[in-house]
């Protein structure tokens, strides 16, 4: 596992709750080259005095060098963590949604899933649209999708890709269905009090 050592004094923002670690805060990164070059590889973050600070996802290709998973030393980063956090996010936001709205189910760092945005349309018979905007969640894509399928009962999961964001993270740009069917090109989506024609795969709103 990688070990990220933070420069003296730079741990203050981390301890105050900032989930992002920038390259300027890092003294050194120890570990195998293949791990250092893999976007989203799990790392232990320690202070300059070698005290544990966090577990984080490291990405040498990103302007955000590491994204914190947990400040608890006894909490491993594994499939079970992804399942728990997806379940918690869906439980918090998944009730009473307007089936014609494109509603947010998972909202990145707020849900402990850095870089992940999931929107729902159409209830269980509809679609989940996911954006894996960081190496952190890209590396755990399969268990995250499995957890979404189980937590929502929705069988159709589509990945939307923002080329600038994905390339900035060193990730491939490959939108498409991750489970079930791809959404149709045009759906009527709630916007305020009315409905607008939208391609939920991209977020493009058609002219009226």
């Amino acid at each position: 596992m990688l070990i990220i050592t933070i420069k003296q004094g730079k741990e203050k923002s981390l301890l105050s709750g900032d989930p992002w670690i920038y390259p300027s805060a890092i003294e050194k990164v120890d570990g195998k080259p293949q791990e250092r070059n893999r976007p989203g590889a799990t790392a232990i973050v320690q202070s300059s005095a070698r005290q544990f600070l966090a577990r984080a996802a490291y990405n040498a290709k990103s302007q955000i060098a590491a994204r914190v998973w947990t400040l608890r030393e006894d909490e491993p980063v594994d499939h079970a963590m992804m399942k728990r956090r997806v379940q918690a996010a869906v439980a918090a936001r998944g009730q009473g949604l307007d089936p014609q709205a494109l509603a947010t189910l998972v909202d990145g760092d707020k849900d402990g899933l850095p870089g992940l945005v999931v929107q729902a349309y159409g209830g269980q018979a509809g679609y989940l649209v996911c954006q894996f905007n960081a190496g952190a969640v890209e590396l755990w894509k399969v268990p995250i999708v499995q957890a979404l399928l189980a937590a929502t009962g929705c069988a159709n999961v589509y990945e939307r890709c923002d080329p600038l964001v994905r390339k900035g993270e060193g990730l491939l740009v490959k939108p498409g269905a991750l489970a079930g069917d791809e959404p149709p090109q045009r759906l009527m989506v709630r916007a305020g009090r009315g409905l607008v024609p939208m391609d939920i795969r991209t977020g493009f709103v058609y002219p009226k």
Side-chain angles (χ1 to χ4, degrees), residues 89-112:
V90 172
R93 298 192 186 90
Q95 303 300 316
L97 296 178
D98 180 347
Q100 286 191 293
L102 190 59
T104 299
L105 278 184
V106 181
D107 192 5
D109 289 305
K110 293 179 182 178
D111 294 310

